[in-house]
């Protein structure tokens, strides 16, 4: 059975997106970040993101095929793989399944956050959180997109070895996902200038609350009427 993250041999070199690195690492975990700006709307990116069978490399599947890959983009939804085999008549039948990750946050066109230990990390005592964020670039010139994968816990791999490997494979899927869209921007994006995680949404909520307060300066807005964040 193939690993869901690594092919049998060494990883082939792949073209880097606009920004890619193991941003942080310790003895118990690491953070891999990939970013790019492309000529597409957030809605187009979102639609592409939710069809992993079209861009995930089959070498990083458990079944050897991505035909059974899908993402159910709602809380507790699954990024899963159906293991399928052809019967005597040639018809495909599902003989198993794999959960790659589980959705814990979904806001279409903005953020998809999933939790799960990808590939060989699945057998380790680690938690992985992948945040896919997207937002209109400056002056609405395309969309900035990012993968930020944070892994922590006990694993039998050396972080110094597993982190770069995970970073390369995630970078490949990131590149494949964005392949239909032309890259934009001559300058490399600065990861610290783009709010990758929940901060983007928190800012939007804060701005919305300010607008409500300005529109109703003499009224107290019940907390139940404001967008709630965990």
């Amino acid at each position: 059975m193939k690993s869901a993250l690594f092919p049998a041999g060494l990883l082939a070199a792949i073209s880097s997106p606009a920004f890619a690195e193991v941003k942080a690492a310790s003895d118990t975990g690491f953070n891999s970040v990939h970013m790019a700006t492309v000529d597409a709307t957030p809605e187009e990116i979102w639609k592409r993101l939710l069809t992993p069978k079209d861009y995930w490399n089959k070498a990083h599947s458990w079944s050897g095929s991505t035909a059974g890959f899908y993402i159910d983009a709602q809380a507790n939804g699954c990024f899963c793989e159906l293991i399928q085999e052809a019967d005597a008549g040639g018809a495909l039948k599902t003989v198993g399944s794999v959960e790659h990750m589980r959705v814990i946050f979904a806001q279409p066109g903005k953020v998809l956050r999933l939790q799960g230990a990808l590939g060989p990390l699945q057998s380790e005592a680690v938690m992985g959180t992948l945040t896919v964020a997207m937002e209109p670039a400056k002056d609405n010139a395309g969309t900035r997109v990012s993968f930020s994968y944070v892994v922590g816990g006990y694993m039998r791999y050396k972080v110094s070895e597993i982190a770069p490997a995970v970073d390369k494979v995630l970078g490949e899927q990131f590149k494949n996902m964005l392949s239909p869209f032309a890259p934009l921007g001559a300058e490399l994006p600065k990861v610290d200038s783009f709010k990758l995680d929940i901060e983007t949404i928190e800012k939007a909520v804060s701005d919305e609350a300010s607008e409500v307060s300005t529109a109703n300066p003499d009224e107290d807005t019940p907390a139940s009427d404001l967008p709630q964040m965990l």
Side-chain angles (χ1 to χ4, degrees), residues 2-3 6-10 59:
K2 295 183 179 181
S3 162
F6 302 104
L10 294 176

Side-chain angles (χ1 to χ4, degrees), residues 73-102:
Q74 60 180 331
N76 207 40
C78 193
F79 169 20
C80 286
E81 172 186 351
L82 300 178
I83 299 175
Q84 300 173 319
E85 293 180 356
D87 61 20
L92 287 177
K93 62 178 181 179
T94 298
V95 296
S97 61
V98 180
E99 178 183 297
H100 291 277
M101 309 189 88
R102 183 152 295 275

Side-chain angles (χ1 to χ4, degrees), residues 69-130:
F69 274 49
Y70 67 90
I71 295 177
D72 180 15
Q74 60 180 331
N76 207 40
C78 193
F79 169 20
C80 286
E81 172 186 351
L82 300 178
I83 299 175
Q84 300 173 319
E85 293 180 356
D87 61 20
L92 287 177
K93 62 178 181 179
T94 298
V95 296
S97 61
V98 180
E99 178 183 297
H100 291 277
M101 309 189 88
R102 183 152 295 275
V103 176
I104 60 172
F105 193 106
Q107 189 172 23
K110 293 185 178 180
V111 174
L112 182 68
R113 178 172 292 115
L114 310 99
Q115 282 189 340
L118 291 169
L121 295 177
Q122 189 184 76
S123 61
E124 306 304 301
V126 300
M127 173 63 74
T129 302
L130 174 65

Side-chain angles (χ1 to χ4, degrees), residues 140-163:
N140 291 318
T143 299
R144 290 198 291 177
V145 190
S146 72
F147 274 14
S148 177
Y149 190 44
V150 182
V151 176
Y154 176 76
M155 67 188 87
R156 291 166 291 183
Y157 296 98
K158 293 181 180 179
V159 170
S160 60
E161 296 175 357
I162 196 72

Side-chain angles (χ1 to χ4, degrees), residues 155-218:
M155 67 188 87
R156 291 166 291 183
Y157 296 98
K158 293 181 180 179
V159 170
S160 60
E161 296 175 357
I162 196 72
V166 170
D167 182 65
K168 284 186 178 181
V169 173
L170 277 181
E172 179 186 9
Q173 313 322 309
F174 183 75
K175 175 175 175 273
N176 290 347
M177 185 189 75
L178 297 179
S179 62
F181 313 113
L184 292 175
E187 294 184 13
L188 294 179
K190 295 180 180 179
V191 65
D192 294 329
S193 69
F194 179 32
K195 303 301 184 184
L196 297 169
D197 300 316
I198 201 70
E199 299 167 30
T200 299
I201 302 171
E202 287 177 339
K203 182 179 184 304
V205 170
S206 176
D207 291 345
E208 185 175 340
S210 296
E211 291 174 4
V212 171
S213 177
T214 302
N216 303 283
D218 298 324

